[in-house]
Amino acid sequence: MSKSDTILIVEDEMIIAANISLQLTQLGYNVIDIIPRAEEVLPKLKQQIPDIILLDINLKGDLDGIELAHLIQKEYKIPIIFLTANADEVHFNRAKTTNPYGFISKPFKKLDLQRAIELVLIRIQEEKMNNPNETETFVISDSIFVRSHDKMIKININDILFIEAERNYCKIHCKEKEHLIVSTLKDLEDKLNVKSFLRVHRSFIINMHHIDEIASSHIVIAKKAIPVTAELKKQLLLHIQKV
């Protein structure tokens, strides 16, 4: 359990959201963003996956927090803690259908927030230990099979442009689409033992066949600028000659 765990706050009362953010920061957690509207959450998740989402049930707009939670769960497996000032039976029963990792009733104390987060992080670790197959990855000939939620997806290795780390997740960028999987970049690096792939940054593995540009401090693949250190750039140039 690490205090570098990331948290996304979805709360339309900005004074409350700012107070939550301050308390979490004081506890040592990394608040990646505060989002006031449900419609802005899924685009944010395509950019960065948090470890936990703190989600207000009574969001203003077309979607409330419970409806948003259902949409999130169709694409991601992210623990959700509901924030609510309305703890009536109707809201509680609706919220239960999303299998949240917890509820925090407003107003709450800093200790309530701290304990809720710590209990969720413990549960996350226990789930990982009890589900070792969740991060399975298989490389067979010219394809890689990765586990995404409850199924295995086949990806043609030549179609992979680069792989980007997002904490306990990896985003595999391909020619046509992206695949978000539960895996560390190190695990994929160990299993994806292919000459054309090289780790050029702590957060990136690239397919050298798809490099469009090599600059002084970055490379470009499919219009994406990927950072590379001077030392790794030397290794990259040597590897390119051998590929």
Side-chain angles (χ1 to χ4, degrees):
M1 185 166 52
S2 168
K3 287 293 184 71
S4 62
D5 295 285
T6 56
I7 299 174
L8 174 64
I9 300 171
V10 184
E11 166 65 67
D12 56 15
E13 297 290 342
M14 294 311 292
I15 294 176
I16 294 175
N19 182 47
I20 294 171
S21 178
L22 176 61
Q23 293 184 41
L24 290 172
T25 301
Q26 290 173 346
L27 290 169
Y29 296 108
N30 178 16
V31 177
I32 64 171
D33 206 348
I34 296 173
I35 297 180
R37 294 182 58 82
E39 293 78 9
E40 300 171 10
V41 174
L42 291 178
K44 174 65 180 180
L45 296 181
K46 290 182 179 180
Q47 300 172 358
Q48 186 175 7
I49 304 294
D51 293 301
I52 297 171
I53 297 176
L54 290 180
L55 176 56
D56 182 27
I57 286 180
N58 299 303
L59 292 173
K60 299 182 182 72
D62 295 333
L63 297 173
D64 66 11
I66 299 170
E67 293 167 320
L68 174 60
H70 282 297
L71 292 177
I72 291 171
Q73 291 171 341
K74 287 181 180 179
E75 297 187 48
Y76 306 98
K77 187 178 179 182
I78 307 172
I80 292 173
I81 299 176
F82 280 121
L83 306 171
T84 180
N86 188 349
D88 63 49
E89 198 69 18
V90 173
H91 281 83
F92 180 72
N93 287 333
R94 282 186 62 222
K96 279 197 305 184
T97 63
T98 68
N99 296 312
Y101 279 59
F103 289 85
I104 301 177
S105 296
K106 302 184 221 177
F108 53 84
K109 299 176 181 178
K110 184 176 181 179
L111 184 60
D112 298 329
L113 186 63
Q114 179 181 4
R115 287 176 173 171
I117 297 294
E118 288 184 356
L119 287 173
V120 170
L121 292 173
I122 290 171
R123 180 173 164 186
I124 291 171
Q125 293 301 318
E126 289 176 345
E127 288 176 351
K128 287 180 180 178
M129 292 177 64
N130 293 331
N131 296 281
N133 290 334
E134 192 173 81
T135 59
E136 283 180 357
T137 303
F138 305 101
V139 178
I140 303 176
S141 184
D142 60 351
S143 301
I144 177 173
F145 286 82
V146 296
R147 183 175 294 278
S148 177
H149 302 300
D150 60 345
K151 57 187 177 182
M152 299 297 293
I153 298 174
K154 180 182 178 181
I155 303 172
N156 189 308
I157 288 176
N158 290 330
D159 289 340
I160 299 175
L161 303 174
F162 60 92
I163 304 171
E164 183 177 4
E166 295 186 0
R167 295 191 56 76
N168 295 326
Y169 293 82
C170 277
K171 186 179 289 184
I172 300 178
H173 297 259
C174 296
K175 294 178 180 178
E176 302 296 331
K177 63 183 297 186
E178 299 173 355
H179 303 274
L180 188 71
I181 65 170
V182 182
S183 176
T184 64
L185 195 64
K186 181 64 168 63
D187 182 57
L188 281 180
E189 182 182 23
D190 290 342
K191 293 178 179 177
L192 195 61
N193 186 20
V194 181
K195 287 184 178 180
S196 60
F197 285 83
L198 181 67
R199 187 165 184 168
V200 295
H201 184 269
R202 59 187 176 85
S203 298
F204 290 94
I205 293 174
I206 66 160
N207 185 342
M208 290 181 282
H209 288 307
H210 293 293
I211 294 175
D212 298 315
E213 179 184 325
I214 301 177
S216 58
S217 60
H218 69 273
I219 60 175
V220 177
I221 296 179
K223 298 183 180 180
K224 169 73 173 181
I226 299 172
V228 59
T229 65
E231 182 58 36
L232 287 174
K233 182 181 174 182
K234 291 179 182 178
Q235 294 183 31
L236 171 62
L237 294 173
L238 289 173
H239 276 78
I240 286 176
Q241 297 173 25
K242 298 177 182 178
V243 173

